[in-house]
């Protein structure tokens, strides 16, 4: 049985579109757009073994303020390699307000989390 971890975040439309453009540039083969949302998917093993893919996922996480905290909270003490699949879902929600963030710190932290 496959173990999937799905993490959802709602972002203001402008921020969600910026994240979508980034994902489209770097993760085009892994992106699935739907109405008012998109998601990207990778296996824990792919992320652990492919620094380039991990870096692209980390950049996407950093481009979505608050997502890095959600990933860390969802994983807790577990390694991403404990899961078969990671799915990030980014929803467009004009009523959502942005959380304060530090994209560079979030990118470094996400890279560590995704490495396992």
């Amino acid at each position: 049985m496959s173990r999937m971890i799905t993490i959802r975040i709602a972002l203001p439309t402008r921020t969600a579109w910026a994240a979508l453009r980034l994902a489209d540039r770097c993760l085009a083969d892994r992106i699935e757009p739907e109405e008012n949302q998109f998601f990207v998917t990778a296996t824990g093993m792919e992320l652990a073994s492919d620094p380039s893919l991990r870096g692209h996922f980390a950049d996407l996480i950093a481009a979505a303020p608050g997502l890095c905290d959600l990933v860390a909270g969802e994983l807790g003490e577990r390694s991403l390699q404990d899961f078969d699949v990671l799915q990030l879902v980014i929803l467009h929600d004009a009523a959502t307000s942005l959380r304060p963030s530090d994209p560079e710190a979030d990118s470094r932290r996400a890279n560590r989390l995704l490495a396992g």
Side-chain angles (χ1 to χ4, degrees), residues 3-77:
R3 296 166 302 190
M4 178 183 276
I5 183 170
T6 300
I7 302 169
R8 291 178 173 78
I9 189 166
L11 296 172
T13 302
R14 190 175 188 163
T15 306
W17 278 109
L20 175 61
R21 285 191 302 275
L22 175 66
D24 193 43
R25 269 194 324 272
C26 302
L27 300 163
D29 60 331
R30 296 177 178 274
I31 189 169
E32 292 292 331
E34 292 184 357
E35 188 173 335
N36 295 322
Q37 69 180 7
F38 71 93
F39 58 91
V40 292
T41 307
T43 69
M45 291 305 291
E46 288 173 320
L47 290 166
S49 65
D50 185 341
S52 177
L53 177 63
R54 186 170 55 248
H56 293 314
F57 262 75
D59 289 345
L60 177 60
I61 290 169
L67 185 54
C68 191
D69 290 336
L70 292 175
V71 171
E74 190 68 34
L75 288 175
E77 296 298 316

Side-chain angles (χ1 to χ4, degrees), residues 50-113:
D50 185 341
S52 177
L53 177 63
R54 186 170 55 248
H56 293 314
F57 262 75
D59 289 345
L60 177 60
I61 290 169
L67 185 54
C68 191
D69 290 336
L70 292 175
V71 171
E74 190 68 34
L75 288 175
E77 296 298 316
R78 299 171 292 182
S79 165
L80 185 58
Q81 293 180 35
D82 292 341
F83 297 92
D84 297 318
V85 178
L86 169 66
Q87 183 177 64
L88 303 176
V89 181
I90 298 180
L91 305 132
H92 305 225
D93 184 351
T96 301
S97 59
L98 276 179
R99 301 172 200 180
S101 71
D102 179 346
E104 288 182 25
D106 284 352
S107 182
R108 287 190 302 273
R109 183 177 177 206
N111 222 319
R112 286 190 307 271
L113 289 168

